[in-house]
Amino acid sequence: QIVNGLVQTTGWPSVVTCLSNWFGKGRRGLIMGVWNSHTSVGNILGSLIAGYWVSTCWGLSFIVPGAIVAAMGIVCFLFLIEHPKDIACFSSLAVPKGCENGTHRFRLQKQIFTEDKNKPLDPELQCLLPSDGKHPVHQSHVVVLPADGGGSMAAISFTGALRIPGVIEFSLCLLFAKLVSYTFLFWLPLYITNVDHLDARQAGELSTLFDVGGIFGGILAGVISDRLEKRASTCGLMLLLAAPTLYTFSTISKMGLEATIAMLLLSGALVSGPYALITTAVSADLGTHKSLKGNSHALATVTAIIDGTGSVGAALGPLLAGLLSPSGWNNVFYMLMFADACALLFLIRLIHKELSCPGSAAGDQVLFKEH
């Protein structure tokens, strides 16, 4: 199991980095929220596959998902394009040097040459210019970043990544958010079996509703954070609502199957929303933080630190649930609520900073990134 976890976790930092290479900050929350739904779909398929063979030939519950993972690994190796520059694909804004957003929503500047003055501006570019549509952003706010190629910048170190503002806070927040999510993933079928008196296969199928709620929660968190441009505040709000929802779940789920289904969907959305946002859009934002001064070789390291810290919680949650469940399921839910409160606590400083600064301090900069 240790080796299994070691091998599987190597994929996440890489895929987040690849996706971030293709999409800028503008709608990163929405795009990655939709993309991240694959984790919930995978959990659903895994539960259904495991539940199908768990009572007859349990070995296939490992072999079949393993074969699927191996096949997709081959597909990614053959067809995944890591970066737009690998196929000479550049921004549709026609900026002379490849241009992409960093940790804040930067306004872009396009040099308008003499021969292009009479041509209509790209609609996407026009909305980035002042109302007169003629004068670009003032030159004093332009930040030119050095090129990625040619080995001009080395990959960031582990300690260097930890010094990026927000990495430690979001990492510790994810530890507790992932603790809650993985406790549900591992213990929910047994809880449903005990409470609703269903067999193992039916409980496994019903537990997938938690991940269905997680799909909507991840997308909703991405949309809200894009609109408000406040990642920490979005996570904090969902964590704040998750704690009382978990208490309600522990109470209402004993009233019947219909109540269990409703609470599974709601709990899945509120628990998985912050988890999905932190492991995708937040990791991508921090991996392209302005303090890196254009070093694009930090994204995978930052993502690995955040997700790796979360995996500590993924290990602790099911362990604590196993220790507490003999004394009653209520104690397990109290532990989960405490974990949600801790996750929220680690975001307090970032939330205060976001709310006290309605406009981003770096929002007036223009980011040029050379390929």
Side-chain angles (χ1 to χ4, degrees), residues 110-368:
K110 178 181 177 182
Q111 295 180 4
I112 302 178
F113 300 100
T114 307
E115 62 270 22
D116 292 336
K117 284 183 178 179
N118 296 325
K119 293 182 180 179
L121 287 176
D122 187 299
E124 189 175 356
L125 175 66
Q126 192 156 6
C127 71
L128 301 172
L129 298 175
S131 57
D132 60 6
K134 297 178 181 179
H135 303 290
V137 184
H138 195 271
Q139 289 284 345
S140 63
H141 296 291
V142 176
V143 178
V144 179
L145 302 181
D148 291 340
S152 59
M153 283 196 174
I156 194 170
S157 65
F158 179 82
T159 54
L162 286 178
R163 286 196 291 267
I164 298 174
V167 168
I168 293 177
E169 289 94 333
F170 276 113
S171 296
L172 294 174
C173 173
L174 183 64
L175 188 151
F176 290 99
K178 206 167 182 179
L179 183 152
V180 177
S181 181
Y182 271 67
T183 301
F184 270 96
L185 180 66
F186 282 97
W187 284 91
L188 192 55
L190 181 60
Y191 174 77
I192 293 173
T193 300
N194 292 341
V195 172
D196 293 315
H197 308 291
L198 302 175
D199 60 36
R201 181 174 177 177
Q202 290 174 323
E205 292 173 352
L206 187 61
S207 68
T208 60
L209 292 176
F210 181 83
D211 288 298
V212 173
I215 294 174
F216 294 104
I219 296 173
L220 183 63
V223 171
I224 294 174
S225 67
D226 280 344
R227 274 310 167 94
L228 302 179
E229 296 184 350
K230 292 175 172 55
R231 308 282 196 213
S233 301
T234 303
C235 291
L237 176 61
M238 298 188 83
L239 289 168
L240 185 65
L241 296 174
T245 302
L246 292 175
Y247 177 78
T248 307
F249 179 49
S250 67
T251 306
I252 294 182
S253 59
K254 300 172 184 176
M255 298 180 180
L257 194 59
E258 294 79 8
T260 301
I261 292 173
M263 292 310 300
L264 278 174
L265 292 170
L266 182 59
S267 300
L270 293 175
V271 168
S272 300
Y275 167 35
L277 188 63
I278 293 173
T279 54
T280 55
V282 169
S283 297
D285 288 350
L286 294 175
T288 53
H289 195 270
K290 62 180 179 179
S291 65
L292 296 171
K293 299 178 181 178
N295 187 351
S296 63
H297 302 136
L299 214 158
T301 303
V302 170
T303 305
I305 290 172
I306 293 175
D307 194 55
T309 307
S311 295
V312 176
L316 286 176
L319 174 63
L320 293 174
L323 296 174
L324 294 173
S325 58
S327 62
W329 285 104
N330 282 339
N331 292 330
V332 176
F333 279 96
Y334 292 145
M335 181 268 290
L336 296 178
M337 286 185 280
F338 177 75
D340 261 329
C342 290
L344 178 59
L345 184 64
F346 283 112
L347 290 183
I348 291 296
R349 186 186 71 85
L350 297 178
I351 293 173
H352 179 264
K353 184 177 179 181
E354 284 184 350
L355 296 180
S356 61
C357 302
S360 173
D364 293 331
Q365 290 180 326
V366 180
L367 186 66
F368 278 124

Side-chain angles (χ1 to χ4, degrees), residues 36-57:
N36 189 67
S37 64
H38 74 270
T39 58
S40 295
V41 174
N43 288 339
I44 292 170
L45 290 176
S47 298
L48 294 177
I49 291 171
Y52 184 80
W53 280 297
V54 69
S55 302
T56 54
C57 186

